Amino acid sequence: MIQELSYVGIGSPRSEEWRTYGTKLLGAMLASDGPDGAVRLAVDDINFRIAIHPGEEDEFRYAGWGMANETDLHAFVEHLESHGVVVHAGDPELLAEREVAELAWFEDPWGIRHELTWGKAATPLSFSTGRTMRGGFVTGDQGLGHVVFQVPDIEKANRFYVDILGFRLSDRITTKYFSVRFYHINGRHHSLALSEFPGHVGFNHLMLEVEHMDDLGRLIDLLDTRDTDVMQSLGRHTNDLMTSVYIGSPSGLQIEYGYGGLTVDDLSWVARTYGRPSYWGHKLSDVAKSRLPGIVKPIAAGA
Ligand SMILES: [Fe+2]
């Protein structure tokens, strides 16, 4: 089974801007550059978990998912292949770049690339925050955070991600305007969410959770001094109880910066349906209303 969201990678013409944005605003630590000049960020003692590759356009590149060990990875690849998923083995160059022991990758029905890995490199006591913070990020056995993708068909996506990949439904939020499903693979309420956007596929946001509310508050103060857009105001979600703000990034991707997310226990968890995403706040800004939500691309008709 997939155990954690391990890392993510995007491409962007403004990758260099993440050196400052990622450290001085988000509070991540600059890690060594990738072989292609990718800016890489650490949020804990894992050598890096976020990579921004130089590229012609803003694009989602890959999500990396951590398996417990090599036995689990091999068994899972066999399971995927038995369901008709085409799985590719990572070559030594790719393993070296991602700093993992082993890697296999595949795409979802709309070309969202997922990498299955084990043995990602870590350096104990290496992490320090990129700006002054009271604490660090909530990772550990909850992984990096969560990713939210837009998919054209939520039911078809649910079948792929649940029936084949084994993501477990935490709950749904269904309103007049959107339909989102939230999935867990560890204690974090969701490591993945899928949002229906007919005719489109996209990477809406990456959520990073801080250990102390003060570090969320300080980020909000820092926005006054930076050219970064607020996409959704401070608010608290109904389902994972996260208090968070959504901000823009140099690359179209949104970052949800949160505190106080719920953890789930599969022994007692029962999926609910909510009619609204937030108890309060999370108001869409004018900027958010004027552009596509995240790195979003139209797909070919009929896909
Ligand atoms: Fe989120």
Side-chain angles (χ1 to χ4, degrees):
M1 298 297 285
I2 293 171
Q3 301 276 78
E4 63 155 11
L5 175 66
S6 182
Y7 59 87
V8 295
I10 63 171
S12 174
R14 296 171 69 190
S15 57
E16 284 299 311
E17 294 178 31
W18 283 76
R19 292 187 195 280
T20 305
Y21 172 84
T23 55
K24 300 303 175 200
L25 187 60
L26 300 184
M29 183 179 81
L30 207 54
S32 64
D33 286 359
D36 63 347
V39 174
R40 304 197 294 192
L41 299 167
V43 294
D44 58 15
D45 284 347
I46 302 291
N47 288 4
F48 64 90
R49 287 185 182 270
I50 302 167
I52 306 94
H53 299 266
E56 301 272 297
E57 55 170 3
D58 294 334
E59 59 179 0
F60 168 78
R61 294 273 181 97
Y62 51 83
W65 302 94
M67 313 292 294
N69 52 46
E70 56 200 309
T71 312
D72 272 21
L73 174 57
H74 299 163
F76 198 68
V77 168
E78 272 184 34
H79 160 80
L80 293 181
E81 287 175 336
S82 75
H83 283 79
V85 179
V86 179
V87 184
H88 309 265
D91 60 29
E93 205 178 328
L94 184 60
L95 269 55
E97 184 195 324
R98 303 285 198 265
E99 298 191 18
V100 295
E102 198 171 348
L103 185 157
W105 65 272
F106 62 93
E107 292 178 342
D108 85 349
W110 301 282
I112 295 175
R113 173 172 165 142
H114 297 289
E115 298 181 354
L116 304 167
T117 70
W118 70 273
K120 187 156 173 62
T123 307
L125 293 179
S126 61
F127 180 69
S128 61
T129 55
R131 63 173 165 94
T132 305
M133 288 172 70
R134 185 177 295 282
F137 294 87
V138 177
T139 57
D141 59 10
Q142 295 187 52
L144 166 60
H146 69 236
V147 286
V148 179
F149 297 114
Q150 289 108 335
V151 292
D153 180 339
I154 193 79
E155 294 304 328
K156 184 176 173 183
N158 190 64
R159 287 195 291 276
F160 183 77
Y161 282 89
V162 173
D163 298 351
I164 300 177
L165 299 187
F167 283 89
R168 301 190 288 282
L169 185 69
S170 303
D171 41 49
R172 309 185 299 171
I173 297 180
T174 306
T175 76
K176 237 188 332 186
Y177 306 103
F178 59 80
S179 173
V180 188
R181 286 174 182 248
F182 301 81
Y183 305 96
H184 62 275
I185 44 173
N186 53 43
R188 189 183 290 285
H189 173 275
H190 60 283
S191 295
L192 169 73
L194 300 172
S195 172
E196 189 163 64
F197 191 167
H200 294 77
V201 62
F203 183 19
N204 174 255
H205 71 265
L206 166 68
M207 190 285 301
L208 299 173
E209 182 178 0
V210 288
E211 292 174 314
H212 292 275
M213 184 179 277
D214 293 337
D215 294 329
L216 166 59
R218 288 288 299 276
L219 173 123
I220 290 170
D221 281 355
L222 284 169
L223 291 172
D224 294 342
T225 63
R226 300 198 169 265
D227 183 23
T228 297
D229 296 311
V230 173
M231 309 306 279
Q232 291 185 42
S233 63
L234 186 68
R236 190 166 190 231
H237 281 304
T238 48
N239 62 340
D240 70 352
L241 305 180
M242 190 79 77
T243 301
S244 61
V245 63
Y246 290 70
I247 60 173
S249 76
S251 307
L253 178 69
Q254 296 184 23
I255 298 290
E256 180 185 6
Y257 204 82
Y259 164 75
L262 184 69
T263 56
V264 302
D265 176 356
D266 264 328
L267 282 176
S268 55
W269 190 257
V270 177
R272 307 289 184 200
T273 299
Y274 297 99
R276 50 193 285 202
S278 307
Y279 288 118
W280 51 267
H282 287 146
K283 296 206 174 99
L284 277 183
S285 67
D286 289 341
V287 175
K289 286 178 192 161
S290 71
R291 64 171 79 146
L292 284 169
I295 303 175
V296 181
K297 318 269 183 202
I299 56 167

